Amino acid sequence: MMELPTIVLTGATGGLGQLAAVELARRGAHLILIARDKAKAEGVRALIVATAPQSTVEIFLADLSSMSDVRRVGTEIAAAHPTVDVLVNNAGLHAFEQRITVDGFPIMVAVNYLAPWLLTQFLRPALIAAASSRGEARVVTVASEAARRHGRLALPGDLTDTSPFTALGSSPLYGKTKLLDVMFSQELARRLEGTGVSANALCPGFNATGLGRELRFSAPLERLLRTLRIGDPAKGAGIIVRPAVDPEFRRTSGGYFSVKGGKPLTPAWPGGDQELQARLWVQTEQLLATWTRNLSHCRSCP
């Protein structure tokens, strides 16, 4: 793609994100990792440096379930790096019971959708500046074909629905957040037209490393799936890396790509509806503007 690109990556302390981080470092990227756990992040940094000694890695700590943390870390990165070549929104969570964040949002909507949406807005000027000086910049969002099992999309109510659910009922809600990611990415691509910044989404496939850290039996299940050769983490990480740095994606924007050879995917209905994508954007903007006003009001209270 470009010489020594600056790449911001979320969700790199394990799974596909860690594999992608190592590969990006091998390709010469200067990595900026956003992580919640400092010890895990330092472990990944050590792994990256051991694998790619020439690499440079910065760590910024943030809890992506907190919009205040997302805003803070986005502001800090933008202040430290006036140009950012690539943003990879990789962090995600499959929760098996409802939890409500400190901001009052459902946990999966907050981590999987609102956090990447908001982080992208804070880094948008740095991405545009990189495109202006380097010729291009990219935003890559990790979605999933789990979106095809999203149940019924009901906006804007789905963004704030904190109804309890069981482990069995968690899959449609997880899929819905991934559908929102595809919709966000495609609307972002339209809003970035003419800036030199592209936006694409992808599905890394079903992988043993992406089962959800909250599943109690995930470790033995991961071993079983590896034994049965179900899922390929290397391919999953590869389809994250390719849209981030490969020349073949240089002028591609608004796409949604499969782990199977990087082939284009059609979003699950009704996620490909451009009018609905635009409406989701405005509703998200309004929701987070309300959150900002409420936060400012609370801070001003005696």
Side-chain angles (χ1 to χ4, degrees), residues 211 214-222:
L211 295 172
E214 300 191 0
L215 192 60
R216 287 191 300 273
F217 52 87
S218 62
L221 183 56
E222 179 177 333

Side-chain angles (χ1 to χ4, degrees), residues 119-138:
L119 180 62
T120 302
Q121 306 319 305
F122 278 101
L123 295 183
R124 183 171 175 165
L127 288 159
I128 292 174
S132 177
S133 63
R134 306 282 291 268
E136 66 162 325
R138 307 182 188 187

Side-chain angles (χ1 to χ4, degrees), residues 16-167:
L16 299 183
Q18 180 175 306
L19 295 176
V22 170
E23 179 57 26
L24 289 168
R26 284 191 181 122
R27 297 192 184 203
H30 169 67
L31 290 176
I32 299 171
L33 308 182
I34 300 177
R36 182 179 58 172
D37 188 306
K38 183 177 181 180
K40 287 183 178 179
E42 291 294 350
V44 172
R45 173 161 38 197
L47 173 64
I48 291 171
V49 172
T51 306
Q54 80 288 354
S55 61
T56 55
V57 183
E58 289 183 72
I59 294 170
F60 286 78
L61 298 178
D63 179 351
L64 296 182
S65 73
S66 164
M67 296 303 104
S68 294
D69 255 22
V70 175
R71 181 171 67 174
R72 173 189 54 76
V73 79
T75 302
E76 289 176 355
I77 292 172
H81 296 275
T83 61
V84 170
D85 297 296
V86 182
L87 166 61
V88 181
N89 291 310
N90 168 70
L93 170 70
H94 186 151
F96 292 91
E97 63 180 3
Q98 183 65 279
R99 295 201 306 277
I100 300 172
T101 71
V102 293
D103 306 306
F105 298 129
I107 184 71
M108 282 197 285
V109 171
V111 174
N112 297 354
Y113 171 64
L114 293 177
W117 194 99
L118 189 59
L119 180 62
T120 302
Q121 306 319 305
F122 278 101
L123 295 183
R124 183 171 175 165
L127 288 159
I128 292 174
S132 177
S133 63
R134 306 282 291 268
E136 66 162 325
R138 307 182 188 187
V139 180
V140 177
T141 300
V142 177
S144 171
E145 281 291 83
R148 301 201 179 276
R149 299 180 295 278
H150 71 270
R152 176 177 172 271
L153 189 64
L155 298 173
D158 285 334
L159 300 179
T160 55
D161 183 4
T162 55
S163 302
F165 56 81
T166 63

Side-chain angles (χ1 to χ4, degrees), residues 292-302:
T292 301
R293 286 195 298 272
N294 291 340
L295 183 65
S296 299
H297 175 72
C298 289
R299 286 176 175 173
S300 65
C301 292

Side-chain angles (χ1 to χ4, degrees), residues 122-288:
F122 278 101
L123 295 183
R124 183 171 175 165
L127 288 159
I128 292 174
S132 177
S133 63
R134 306 282 291 268
E136 66 162 325
R138 307 182 188 187
V139 180
V140 177
T141 300
V142 177
S144 171
E145 281 291 83
R148 301 201 179 276
R149 299 180 295 278
H150 71 270
R152 176 177 172 271
L153 189 64
L155 298 173
D158 285 334
L159 300 179
T160 55
D161 183 4
T162 55
S163 302
F165 56 81
T166 63
L168 186 62
S170 67
S171 292
L173 298 176
Y174 172 78
K176 191 172 295 187
T177 64
K178 291 298 163 180
L179 183 63
L180 296 177
D181 282 338
V182 176
M183 295 170 69
F184 151 67
S185 181
Q186 295 194 338
E187 178 63 18
L188 177 65
R190 283 189 290 276
R191 289 173 179 260
L192 289 171
E193 284 180 3
T195 66
V197 183
S198 64
N200 292 293
L202 61 96
C203 171
F206 180 75
N207 287 279
T209 57
L211 295 172
R213 56 180 174 267
E214 300 191 0
L215 192 60
R216 287 191 300 273
F217 52 87
S218 62
L221 183 56
E222 179 177 333
R223 289 194 293 270
L224 174 62
L225 292 177
R226 286 186 183 279
T227 300
L228 297 176
R229 296 184 179 180
I230 297 175
D232 188 339
K235 286 185 178 179
I239 195 58
I240 297 173
V241 170
R242 286 174 59 194
V245 296
D246 278 7
E248 66 184 289
F249 287 91
R250 181 175 173 82
R251 298 302 178 193
T252 301
S253 193
Y256 173 40
F257 299 99
S258 169
V259 67
K260 297 177 181 179
K263 295 179 180 178
L265 291 166
T266 299
W269 187 90
D273 185 314
Q274 292 188 15
E275 183 178 343
L276 187 60
Q277 291 171 354
R279 181 151 57 89
L280 170 63
W281 185 284
V282 171
Q283 290 167 341
T284 304
E285 215 167 31
Q286 292 171 343
L287 177 65
L288 291 174

